[in-house]
Amino acid sequence: MPTQAKAAVIDEITDRFQNSSAAVLTEYRGLTVAQLTQLRRSLGAGSSYAVVKNTLTKRAADSVGFSDLGPLLNGPTAIAFIEGDPVEAAKVIRDFAKANPMLVVKGGVVDGRTVDASEVTRLADVEPREVLLAKLAGAMKGNLTKAAGLFQAPLSQMARLAEALKEKKPAEAAAPEAPAAEAASEVPASDDAAAADTTTTDTAAADAASDD
């Protein structure tokens, strides 16, 4: 392959590494063209699955900081460059490998991090995004319900206290208006608590005088 053509291939692979959400390296030995085409179509629009030259791919991987992929680039290699959800792509590759054991997952890159074959398998076992979101929403709802209960308890206690104050005997709730007004005028307007105490004291004194 001419040098210019090699450079173009390296640039293309480099671009795919940089702009894909994931890249899965596989060994395809023994698979037919029809099977490879089926896998490519299963990955969905925007994704690709293509046979690559190991030497050129290694140079591209090195240029974007994925040197750890070097040991995986031996033997017949094809790479699935994923556009979209890496979890869904990992599931597609796992299911295809179960039906076609000749496909061997070597490892790859997910969200800018190199991973081995076992990590790709674990990624395929992750529950669908919708299920995870539903579980998260349920957990948040449960926590909010508990929080609401904690906030509600003090409020109900205050409500019971307010109701108890309303049930005071009429004689205690209605104090003579004149002494209260006089007492309030004798203290600063801002000292409401002191005014209330003075009113109570004057009322008690008046009650004691009437009893004599």
Side-chain angles (χ1 to χ4, degrees):
M1 181 183 294
T3 302
Q4 186 175 357
K6 290 181 180 179
V9 171
I10 293 172
D11 288 343
E12 181 181 354
I13 297 174
T14 300
D15 182 70
R16 295 296 283 178
F17 271 126
Q18 291 176 322
N19 295 302
S20 298
S21 58
V24 180
L25 279 64
T26 66
E27 182 177 320
Y28 64 93
R29 194 193 308 268
L31 294 175
T32 66
V33 172
Q35 289 171 321
L36 296 179
T37 300
Q38 177 189 350
L39 175 56
R40 183 183 300 111
R41 290 174 178 172
S42 299
L43 291 171
S47 298
S48 66
Y49 182 76
V51 175
V52 296
K53 288 187 174 294
N54 291 329
T55 54
L56 302 183
T57 302
K58 186 178 185 304
R59 289 173 62 180
D62 289 344
S63 70
V64 290
F66 299 145
S67 300
D68 291 347
L69 296 180
L72 306 180
L73 293 169
N74 57 76
T77 303
I79 301 180
F81 286 106
I82 309 304
E83 295 288 342
D85 188 358
V87 173
E88 291 303 316
K91 291 181 188 299
V92 169
I93 295 173
R94 177 200 60 191
D95 294 344
F96 183 88
K98 285 182 179 179
N100 303 273
M102 300 300 290
L103 183 77
V104 178
V105 175
K106 298 181 177 183
V109 178
V110 178
D111 290 334
R113 183 175 64 89
T114 56
V115 298
D116 59 20
S118 63
E119 288 183 275
V120 175
T121 301
R122 286 197 295 271
L123 184 65
D125 292 333
V126 173
E127 292 180 313
R129 181 173 180 272
E130 292 75 13
V131 174
L132 293 176
L133 289 175
K135 288 185 176 181
L136 177 60
M140 292 178 64
K141 182 179 179 181
N143 289 336
L144 289 175
T145 300
K146 292 179 181 178
L150 293 175
F151 283 116
Q152 188 64 25
L155 292 177
S156 61
Q157 292 174 6
M158 292 177 63
R160 288 195 295 271
L161 178 59
E163 191 63 28
L165 292 174
K166 287 182 182 179
E167 293 175 358
K168 276 188 168 184
K169 291 186 296 181
E172 295 177 353
E177 294 182 2
E182 293 172 1
S185 64
E186 295 173 358
V187 296
S190 60
D191 197 349
D192 294 337
D197 290 342
T198 305
T199 301
T200 304
T201 303
D202 291 345
T203 304
D207 290 342
S210 62
D211 290 340
D212 292 339

